[in-house]
Amino acid sequence: VTSGVVDALLKAICSSVGKKEVYALWDIVKEIGEKEKGVLTVEILNELIALFSKLGKGKAAFEVFNKFGDYGCVANQETYYFTIEALSRRKIFDWAWSVCEKMIETGSLPDSEKVGKIISWFCKGGKAKEAHVVYTLAREKKMYPPQSVVAFLISSLCQEDETVKLALDMLDDFSGEARKYAIKPFSSVIRSLCRMKDVHGAKTLLSKMISEGPPPGNAVFNSVISAYSKAGDMTPAMEMLKLMRSRGLKPDVYTYTGLMSGYANGGQMEEACEILNEAKKNHSRLSPVTYHTLIRGYCKLEEFDCALKLLNEMKDVGVQPNVDEYNKLIQSLCLKALDWRTAEKLLEDMRLKGLHLNGITRALIRAVKELEEDAIENGEALVEA
């Protein structure tokens, strides 16, 4: 038995591949490897791993990989790549990472395109932090994965708070023409910083985008404005609005809704209504969420007449109220004002529009109505007594 014979046998089997034949072939190769030292080569074993990968047999590929030392073979770039590919196809990412760690220890990376695929596999497998280790090593070796892969890695790192800093640092790797079109990864990092309530960091990055690129669009400004509004910091939120306009950007419905939400949460309904009026001037059609924000604010202050007025205004401007608006208003009328009559009128209005109120809120209307009736009956009985 020679290496040439085994290689010829391997190629013959691969030409008409079937699972049964491949497993039988692996049994023969193992037998040869145990009896004939020096016959099996890295190329032969790599071809077997690639074949198992093609068939989606990750565990079998991993078994071949673990036999390299027994057969006196040293794994190379192709070995690591095909084994990681096979395990990733079967979503066995823990084993794939153990193979990748050995690859990193040897510093033996495949070409940039294949490195990009490895990074993508780990990102899809929820191992963005591990994928970043591969990316870092590639950069040290002056290897540059495709920009689409880098953007995917940044997006994946942004999913977890603990890895957002890694994504932020990666933004510095964009330069020249690549940076000009990197708005998506920059936007992902800003959204994540806002999610983490690091609005200062988000604002700093936005300023850097203005000075160095890529130019921020509405989505980036909206994220920062919304974060300031949620924190109740309306002064810097309005400053962001001014900066947005100064760059020739037109605030959209989401911009105005974020600002209104901030004012409404702080009980500043007059300021919130001013934003609404501005939004109506600049946009012919608003979203139900815009009105829902203000209705919720008025209900919180128990100013139900204003809330009802907004509900009617929605109908006049062609924005159809949804179940959320009605549900919030009906609950507030019942729990705070004990006004079941207005609540019943709203319920009837919902029926006419084909909207369905949940059973809990329906029961609440009945309960408040019965409570009032019981109070009247008890009062009359007391008078008679």
Side-chain angles (χ1 to χ4, degrees):
V1 179
T2 65
S3 299
V5 170
V6 178
D7 188 53
L9 179 62
L10 201 63
K11 285 180 169 57
I13 294 295
C14 291
S15 64
S16 57
V17 68
K19 296 179 183 177
K20 184 177 179 181
E21 289 82 0
V22 174
Y23 277 111
L25 176 62
W26 173 223
D27 288 337
I28 292 173
V29 171
K30 280 191 287 187
E31 187 176 344
I32 293 171
E34 291 167 2
K35 292 181 178 179
E36 305 286 343
K37 299 299 180 182
V39 172
L40 298 184
T41 64
V42 174
E43 289 72 25
I44 290 173
L45 296 178
N46 282 353
E47 201 164 348
L48 257 177
I49 293 173
L51 192 54
F52 278 128
S53 176
K54 184 178 179 181
L55 292 171
K57 299 298 177 183
K59 291 183 179 179
F62 191 59
E63 183 184 355
V64 178
F65 174 79
N66 287 326
K67 285 290 186 179
F68 267 65
D70 295 343
Y71 301 149
C73 297
V74 179
N76 61 16
Q77 299 170 349
E78 296 294 301
T79 310
Y80 294 119
Y81 175 76
F82 286 129
T83 307
I84 294 169
E85 178 189 50
L87 292 169
S88 297
R89 282 181 172 176
R90 300 301 301 167
K91 299 182 180 180
I92 312 175
F93 293 106
D94 287 337
W95 290 7
W97 176 241
S98 69
V99 175
C100 194
E101 283 182 310
K102 292 178 181 178
M103 179 183 74
I104 292 170
E105 286 173 10
T106 63
S108 181
L109 295 182
D111 60 53
S112 296
E113 186 178 346
K114 289 178 179 178
V115 167
K117 289 181 178 179
I118 291 172
I119 290 171
S120 295
W121 292 331
F122 282 122
C123 287
K124 291 175 182 177
K127 289 187 174 295
K129 192 173 182 179
E130 288 80 356
H132 183 265
V133 175
V134 179
Y135 171 79
T136 302
L137 179 60
R139 293 286 298 184
E140 289 174 359
K141 291 183 171 293
K142 306 299 181 184
M143 298 173 66
Y144 304 96
Q147 291 299 320
S148 59
V149 172
V150 177
F152 183 34
L153 175 56
I154 290 174
S155 176
S156 300
L157 289 168
C158 287
Q159 300 301 313
E160 301 291 337
D161 291 354
E162 65 179 48
T163 52
V164 171
K165 179 63 168 58
L166 297 176
L168 177 62
D169 293 339
M170 281 181 65
L171 295 178
D172 291 332
D173 294 339
F174 289 98
S175 60
E177 197 71 10
R179 187 182 181 96
K180 182 179 177 181
Y181 296 102
I183 185 64
K184 189 173 180 179
F186 274 82
S187 299
S188 295
V189 174
I190 282 187
R191 281 198 305 271
S192 300
L193 291 171
C194 291
R195 183 190 70 229
M196 296 165 60
K197 299 180 180 179
D198 183 8
V199 194
H200 176 73
K203 181 183 177 182
T204 301
L205 181 56
L206 189 151
S207 299
K208 195 172 181 180
M209 290 175 70
I210 292 173
S211 60
E212 302 175 21
N218 275 39
V220 173
F221 276 100
N222 286 347
S223 294
V224 179
I225 288 172
S226 180
Y228 274 126
S229 297
K230 285 179 180 178
D233 297 331
M234 298 312 298
T235 300
M238 292 302 293
E239 288 174 356
M240 281 289 111
L241 179 65
K242 292 178 182 177
L243 179 60
M244 184 180 183
R245 285 185 179 133
S246 70
R247 293 186 57 76
L249 296 172
K250 181 182 177 182
D252 53 33
V253 174
Y254 297 103
T255 313
Y256 291 121
T257 301
L259 290 168
M260 280 186 273
S261 178
Y263 280 124
N265 288 337
Q268 298 171 277
M269 297 309 298
E270 184 177 341
E271 290 82 353
C273 287
E274 288 177 5
I275 298 294
L276 175 64
N277 291 332
E278 183 179 331
K280 287 191 288 188
K281 290 177 184 177
N282 296 321
H283 297 280
S284 58
R285 190 175 184 83
L286 301 179
S287 80
V289 178
T290 306
Y291 283 93
H292 181 73
T293 298
L294 293 180
I295 290 172
R296 188 179 67 245
Y298 277 124
C299 287
K300 185 178 178 181
L301 297 174
E302 300 185 21
E303 296 180 14
F304 301 112
D305 289 341
C306 294
L308 287 167
K309 183 180 177 182
L310 277 175
L311 189 68
N312 292 325
E313 182 182 310
M314 289 178 71
K315 306 169 193 174
D316 296 338
V317 297
V319 180
Q320 292 300 321
N322 58 31
V323 175
D324 288 337
E325 277 84 52
Y326 281 106
N327 190 57
K328 178 61 180 176
L329 194 46
I330 289 172
Q331 286 186 359
S332 297
L333 285 166
C334 290
L335 293 172
K336 296 180 179 179
L338 302 179
D339 185 357
W340 60 267
R341 292 176 179 82
T342 305
E344 274 197 340
K345 289 178 182 178
L346 292 174
L347 180 59
E348 181 60 28
D349 193 28
M350 289 182 70
R351 287 198 190 101
L352 294 175
K353 288 183 170 62
L355 299 175
H356 301 283
L357 192 64
N358 64 63
I360 295 175
T361 308
R362 285 172 177 271
L364 184 61
I365 297 173
R366 289 196 300 270
V368 174
K369 184 178 181 179
E370 291 170 3
L371 184 66
E372 183 179 298
E373 290 173 351
D374 289 344
I376 292 172
E377 289 178 5
N378 291 335
E380 290 175 350
L382 187 61
V383 170
E384 289 176 2

